Amino acid sequence: MSLVAVDFVPMATTDLEWVAAQDRLLYPFPWSAQNFADSMIAGYSCWIVFEGGERSGYAVLMMVLDEAHILNISVCRSRQGFGLGRQLLQHLGEVARKAGGSQILLEVRPSNESALALYRKVGFEMIGRRKGYYPACNGREDALVMRLPL
């Protein structure tokens, strides 16, 4: 676990280039700064994780009725493995509950073993599979649909 202060701050337009740059470092098919800006404009719950005053991660949560959908959740590579992902998931759960959410849904690549392990560890269960959901280097990759009751 992290021993420094962790804060969750709503994403601002001044964060967009940093977030997009991090997404490019983390994923072969990243979101653009405009994707994050569009999420903010749409009123989604967009967050930056600060650890000891430094940006260390980010997330986008969309509420649909009583369902919370995690659209993007990421921890900077240099800060992975220190419990920030778990803390970020807990924060999103609190945000979703306050908004009337009864469950959180997300999609994850089967090849993203570290994310799958974290989601299972905090109680997410697989409820479905979307064939060819994600672009991949050799065509398309399925998405595992996971759910966590709140």
Side-chain angles (χ1 to χ4, degrees), residues 81-146:
F82 295 99
L84 287 175
R86 176 185 279 267
Q87 290 179 61
L88 185 50
L89 282 169
Q90 289 171 339
H91 174 72
L92 295 177
E94 292 168 17
V95 169
R97 273 190 285 281
K98 287 179 184 174
S102 64
Q103 62 183 338
I104 299 178
L105 298 168
L106 59 78
E107 289 93 10
V108 61
R109 292 174 184 266
S111 62
N112 192 343
E113 294 174 7
S114 60
L116 271 171
L118 173 62
Y119 299 148
R120 288 184 178 124
K121 191 173 185 180
V122 300
F124 278 87
E125 294 181 350
M126 190 175 110
I127 60 168
R129 179 182 291 264
R130 299 188 199 281
K131 294 282 186 193
Y133 185 80
Y134 290 111
C137 294
N138 296 320
R140 308 286 300 176
E141 184 175 2
D142 292 352
L144 303 179
V145 182
M146 302 188 82

Side-chain angles (χ1 to χ4, degrees), residues 1-55:
M1 272 301 187
S2 173
L3 297 177
V4 297
V6 175
D7 297 300
F8 304 96
V9 178
M11 192 179 292
T13 55
T14 54
D15 295 311
L16 294 174
E17 288 304 322
W18 178 85
V19 170
Q22 292 306 308
D23 226 54
R24 285 191 300 273
L25 292 172
L26 291 167
Y27 305 109
F29 299 92
W31 281 26
S32 67
Q34 190 61 52
N35 293 134
F36 288 101
D38 290 345
S39 294
M40 291 171 60
I41 291 165
Y44 300 162
S45 188
C46 304
W47 297 92
I48 299 291
V49 180
F50 282 86
E51 182 187 32
E54 297 289 325
R55 288 182 286 206

